[in-house]
Amino acid sequence: MRATTIHAPYDIRVEDVPEPVVQLPTDAVVRVLRSCICGSDLWAYRGESPRQPGQRIGHEFLGTVEETGSEVTGVKRGDLVVAPFTWCDGVCDYCREGLTTSCEHGGFWGAVGYDGGQGEAVRVPYADGTLVQLPKEAASDDRLLSALLSLSDVMGTGHHAAVGAGVREGATVAVVGDGAVGLCAVLAAKRLGAGRIIALGRHQVRTDIARGFGATDIVAERGDAAVEAVRELTRGQGAHCVIEAVGTEQSMSTAVNIARDGGAIGFVGVPHGSGTGLDLSVLFARNIALRGGVAPVRAYIPELLPDILDGTIDPSPVFDVTVGLEGVPDGYKAMDGRTALKVLVTT
């Protein structure tokens, strides 16, 4: 079959690889219908996150179950399913507590020796704990498939950030970052009842999506100017809830400085390039809470899925470019060059 591999910085290829097969009785094989490229994939693409030559890549996909191991009971051949960006057994202490990304037997797609999501098929370990069944009729609805694919990562990660920030009815929320996760965080904040949502971003195509998702204000400035703008919008106090969806030192500094005393920051931006860390004395003095990390999206899918199916939320606009599997290398170039927000891959 064909699958995406990474060989060196800026060297993404689509190559022939062995077809996946059931290796353990808890496995399933999923034939991929839709996958996508994540902003976090770009760190490997740029050489900032090490990979072995020929390693598989991609961690967001949905498709149909092609084969199951003898112990798999939750899904069967022909089922339409979505996979979160990590697999998990669903029964360990962490999984039962909803922290599926800390599963004792879990792992990440594209890890050495495992399939990546940007390919024609994937072997899924612990299929019962990992896969979530979707309505079969969704397979014929391209828009709905795109919206459902967001459950594999960006919508669940945006929701995790909103939960970490303590978003609640009537709260003022500020979102730092206009990537797909930041935009989904705007959508999540709106869903949770935020009264005001301030989106920080300077790319009009993206901020237009943010407005469509529920943002009431846009701040295009960065650094100190962004802090001043948010303070001005909030009577000098800052936002009750701040979502940090970038991961740089500047973005976290901005998040702290636009948070209201007694507020909270939900951070989901993968940390990179931050050498000095946070000044805990500032958080201490101003009673600012900090929560977040790798989003346990498998735990959020049952909550978010019904709202996508009934149209309450529609994350599909974050996918602004579509390529076939052979076009994945061009998709990476487009996202790296910021000519695409998030690239959808059809197989």
Side-chain angles (χ1 to χ4, degrees), residues 198-312:
I198 305 167
L200 281 70
R202 56 173 52 188
H203 305 90
Q204 185 173 345
V205 170
R206 300 180 180 200
T207 55
D208 284 349
I209 296 173
R211 286 194 183 277
F213 281 179
T216 55
D217 303 274
I218 303 296
V219 168
E221 293 84 356
R222 288 186 178 181
D224 292 343
V227 174
E228 184 179 344
V230 173
R231 292 277 173 183
E232 186 173 333
L233 289 169
T234 56
R235 297 185 293 116
Q237 296 180 345
H240 300 101
C241 316
V242 178
I243 290 167
E244 193 285 312
V246 181
T248 63
E249 187 171 330
Q250 182 186 68
S251 63
M252 183 58 81
S253 174
T254 297
V256 171
N257 289 324
I258 64 176
R260 190 177 190 269
D261 286 16
I265 299 168
F267 71 105
V268 291
V270 178
H272 53 275
S274 178
T276 61
L278 289 170
D279 185 346
L280 293 181
S281 66
V282 174
L283 302 182
F284 182 83
R286 297 178 52 213
N287 280 282
I288 295 172
L290 183 66
R291 308 183 192 95
V294 185
V297 300
R298 176 61 181 84
Y300 295 134
I301 293 175
E303 176 183 351
L304 297 172
L305 175 58
D307 282 2
I308 288 181
L309 293 176
D310 70 14
T312 300

Side-chain angles (χ1 to χ4, degrees), residues 149-209:
L149 177 61
S150 73
L151 292 172
S152 66
D153 187 346
V154 287
M155 188 63 227
T157 297
H159 177 72
H160 185 56
V163 170
V167 176
R168 56 197 179 276
E169 198 74 32
T172 295
V173 180
V175 179
V176 182
D178 60 3
V181 169
L183 294 173
C184 285
V186 171
L187 192 57
K190 178 68 173 178
R191 177 181 173 273
L192 292 172
R196 188 176 195 181
I197 303 173
I198 305 167
L200 281 70
R202 56 173 52 188
H203 305 90
Q204 185 173 345
V205 170
R206 300 180 180 200
T207 55
D208 284 349
I209 296 173

